[in-house]
Amino acid sequence: NAGVTQTPKFRVLKTGQSMTLLCAQDMNHEYMYWYRQDPGMGLRLIHYSVGEGTTAKGEVPDGYNVSRLKKQNFLLGLESAAPSQTSVYFCASSYQGVGNQPQHFGDGTRLSIL
Amino acid sequence: AQSVTQPDIHITVSEGASLELRCNYSYGATPYLFWYVQSPGQGLQLLLKYFSGDTLVQGIKGFEAEFKRSQSSFNLRKPSVHWSDAAEYFCAVGASGGSYIPTFGRGTSLIVHP
């Protein structure tokens, strides 16, 4: 009964380094999302996917790339990390339904860029 | 474009007291509305949602919310707060149809005094 699993849970990077955050869901959901959460800013959508092989930009996509090669996985990449990308990143998933609201969230990845 | 405002950054209540968290939205047509709760160190959990029909919506954990079109509001209520309700609460608004993704408010932090 895993739901949405994010890997890693914590990471510290130096400016300019790259990394990939992994999100895996075992509920056969069509939709997957990546959000970032910053103090006082709520959640802002980075990218999302409405199905395997598809991705789309959200509100704050710059500096990030994503891939959805398998339905259960949604990867978020930082090619050249910047201090402004220090944040808590959440992955979420949902079935393809009315409202398209994220239903299940992972516990987050806390990322610090030095 | 859709937007949502949560006017209160922090709300403090005593255990056993009633609670109302405010949410105002901006959207031209009938919106989809959601409330989420986030406990410290965890992802968001969907409390309730409004799509259409009865304007008083019941959710999990004893919460309810009322959609008032004339006031563009979707306030969250609970008649008697428990210490375990202390958390961050997020209102979100989504557009009807298509693959529109909800926009989140900045959140209201609920503090519960014993």
Side-chain angles (χ1 to χ4, degrees):
Chain A
N1 194 22
V4 177
T5 302
Q6 292 184 230
T7 308
K9 297 188 184 304
F10 303 94
R11 186 72 183 268
V12 178
L13 291 178
K14 294 181 179 179
T15 298
Q17 287 185 317
S18 64
M19 79 162 295
T20 299
L21 280 64
L22 172 64
C23 176
Q25 53 95 2
D26 60 1
M27 297 166 285
N28 202 36
H29 282 166
E30 290 291 335
Y31 283 48
M32 296 187 74
Y33 319 77
W34 274 108
Y35 289 89
R36 60 177 289 173
Q37 184 178 32
D38 302 291
M41 298 295 293
L43 272 72
R44 292 182 291 171
L45 183 67
I46 304 171
H47 287 279
Y48 66 99
S49 168
V50 301
E52 181 178 318
T54 72
T55 63
K57 293 180 179 180
E59 180 185 358
V60 288
D62 294 343
Y64 305 94
N65 57 77
V66 288
S67 64
R68 184 99 180 268
L69 299 180
K70 294 182 179 181
K71 186 177 183 180
Q72 64 268 33
N73 295 336
F74 195 28
L75 279 63
L76 177 71
L78 285 72
E79 291 186 348
S80 179
S84 60
Q85 295 177 304
T86 293
S87 187
V88 181
Y89 292 86
F90 286 99
C91 176
S93 70
S94 69
Y95 62 79
Q96 184 181 359
V98 174
N100 301 321
Q101 77 284 5
Q103 292 181 291
H104 299 269
F105 281 80
D107 288 338
T109 294
R110 284 145 185 81
L111 183 61
S112 293
I113 314 296
L114 304 178
Chain B
Q2 61 206 44
S3 66
V4 61
T5 300
Q6 294 181 247
D8 303 305
I9 298 175
H10 303 282
I11 290 283
T12 301
V13 299
S14 298
E15 191 170 16
S18 62
L19 170 70
E20 183 169 30
L21 301 182
R22 296 184 291 166
C23 173
N24 295 99
Y25 68 89
S26 174
Y27 181 64
T30 300
Y32 295 157
L33 295 160
F34 316 92
W35 274 100
Y36 293 82
V37 60
Q38 184 182 31
S39 298
Q42 296 187 10
L44 277 69
Q45 180 182 20
L46 182 64
L47 281 175
L48 48 79
K49 57 190 176 187
Y50 171 79
F51 290 163
S52 64
D54 193 346
T55 57
L56 185 62
V57 180
Q58 301 297 321
I60 63 172
K61 301 178 184 283
F63 286 92
E64 67 177 25
E66 186 171 11
F67 170 59
K68 292 185 177 180
R69 185 189 301 275
S70 61
Q71 299 177 20
S72 297
S73 69
F74 188 57
N75 293 349
L76 182 71
R77 302 195 295 247
K78 188 170 184 178
S80 179
V81 172
H82 188 263
W83 64 267
S84 61
D85 293 324
E88 190 87 12
Y89 291 81
F90 294 92
C91 181
V93 59
S96 57
S99 60
Y100 297 100
I101 307 301
T103 299
F104 284 81
R106 297 190 175 190
T108 297
S109 178
L110 175 63
I111 301 166
V112 181
H113 282 314

